[in-house]
Amino acid sequence: MSDQNADQRQNVDQGEIAKFNALASRWWDPTSEFKPLHDINPLRLNYIEERCPLAGKRALDVGCGGGLLSEGMAQRGAHVTGIDMGEAPLSVAKLHGMESGVSVDYRQVTVEELARDPEHAGQYDLVACLEMLEHVPDPASVVKACAALLKPGGHLFVSTINRNPKSFLFAIVGAEYVLRLLPRGTHEWQKFIRPSEMSNHLRHAGLEVSDLTGMTYNPITKVYRLGRDVDVNYLMHAIDTRGEETSS
């Protein structure tokens, strides 16, 4: 019971961590279970870059896993810290960074713990929390901590999966059982987050939503695209408007 209480205090789901620990060795294999992440990573990076040019920025990747996004941001000139609670994915990320020569500061810590550290609170130009919020018990707590880590005027980028019948059909039945894009059990439909709910989390954290963009997959061409359809996967960009207040 005490371990469960500790996990709740840390906003950690050990079952979710175990899933990704078990798959960690295949994180950088573009033909593995992580193929969808490899396919969407350029879209995610471009989405961030268009709204917050990465060169010279201090960036935080929350739920970095094996480091796909972290390395991508670092290659574009950002000074990146990547955090995750999975020990195996972090080991893979560090090893790959040594092989690729891409420098990222990886840490095994929750975003809430990092936000309580005065060396990190309010210090990041941008925080990215992608494909992670649907795997934690309390996504609002994660969003609040991400906001606390931003500099005034900083940018928060989140992505997750909408919760509706279509997302159940596409993200679970289609992706996990029919097309087998993801291992079965990767997602739990009840943990998906509607854009309206995400917007509320962001506003309550003191951020202003700047953009909502959908991500779709064509099973015939096997191509992912960004667009207006937010029924299943979507990205959201929010800004800490304190910077505007101080400059006005």
Side-chain angles (χ1 to χ4, degrees):
M1 187 70 178
S2 59
D3 288 345
Q4 185 179 358
N5 289 339
D7 289 345
Q8 289 172 348
R9 285 196 302 272
Q10 285 193 315
N11 197 16
V12 168
D13 184 329
Q14 291 295 343
E16 295 288 345
I17 291 173
K19 288 179 194 175
F20 293 101
N21 274 340
L23 298 169
S25 63
R26 300 192 285 280
W27 210 287
W28 282 90
D29 178 357
T31 65
S32 73
E33 297 91 338
F34 294 103
K35 184 180 187 304
L37 279 184
H38 286 266
D39 290 344
I40 67 174
N41 205 44
L43 293 177
R44 305 188 305 177
L45 282 166
N46 289 338
Y47 181 84
I48 292 170
E49 180 87 64
E50 286 169 8
R51 291 158 180 81
C52 179
L54 287 160
K57 296 293 195 303
R58 189 174 182 189
L60 176 69
D61 183 6
V62 178
C64 64
L68 276 176
L69 182 71
S70 295
E71 280 204 20
M73 291 195 294
Q75 286 172 334
R76 296 191 180 198
H79 308 287
V80 183
T81 299
I83 63 172
D84 202 285
M85 286 302 288
E87 186 175 352
L90 281 175
S91 298
V92 168
K94 291 174 184 176
L95 179 61
H96 193 273
M98 286 189 282
E99 293 172 349
S100 67
V102 177
S103 177
V104 175
D105 178 17
Y106 290 111
R107 302 178 179 220
Q108 188 175 15
V109 63
T110 66
V111 67
E112 289 91 346
E113 289 175 287
L114 199 70
R116 290 193 291 269
D117 183 343
E119 290 187 11
H120 291 270
Q123 297 302 308
Y124 291 91
D125 299 293
L126 72 101
V127 175
C129 183
L130 309 186
E131 284 75 53
M132 181 267 202
L133 289 165
E134 68 272 21
H135 298 287
V136 297
D138 185 358
S141 173
V142 172
V143 170
K144 183 179 178 182
C146 288
L149 287 156
L150 288 173
K151 293 178 179 177
H155 301 256
L156 175 60
F157 297 91
V158 297
S159 68
T160 189
I161 307 175
N162 202 341
R163 189 177 71 257
N164 54 42
K166 183 177 176 180
S167 69
F168 180 82
L169 182 63
F170 280 69
I172 295 184
V173 177
E176 297 184 16
Y177 289 84
V178 178
L179 299 175
R180 297 183 181 180
L181 297 172
L182 299 167
R184 293 183 181 184
T186 298
H187 293 117
E188 297 175 42
W189 182 80
Q190 64 270 23
K191 289 186 175 180
F192 292 172
I193 306 167
R194 295 188 181 104
S196 58
E197 295 167 340
M198 184 66 76
S199 296
N200 283 335
H201 294 332
L202 292 164
R203 281 194 293 270
H204 288 154
L207 305 179
E208 181 178 309
V209 176
S210 174
D211 180 75
L212 171 64
T213 294
M215 184 187 296
T216 55
Y217 176 72
N218 186 321
I220 298 171
T221 61
K222 298 183 179 179
V223 170
Y224 290 87
R225 296 188 186 280
L226 299 185
R228 295 181 180 179
D229 185 350
V230 299
D231 288 348
V232 185
N233 297 81
Y234 65 90
L235 299 99
M236 199 174 279
H237 171 217
I239 300 172
D240 184 334
T241 55
R242 290 177 301 168
E244 295 175 8
E245 291 170 7
T246 12
S247 60
S248 59

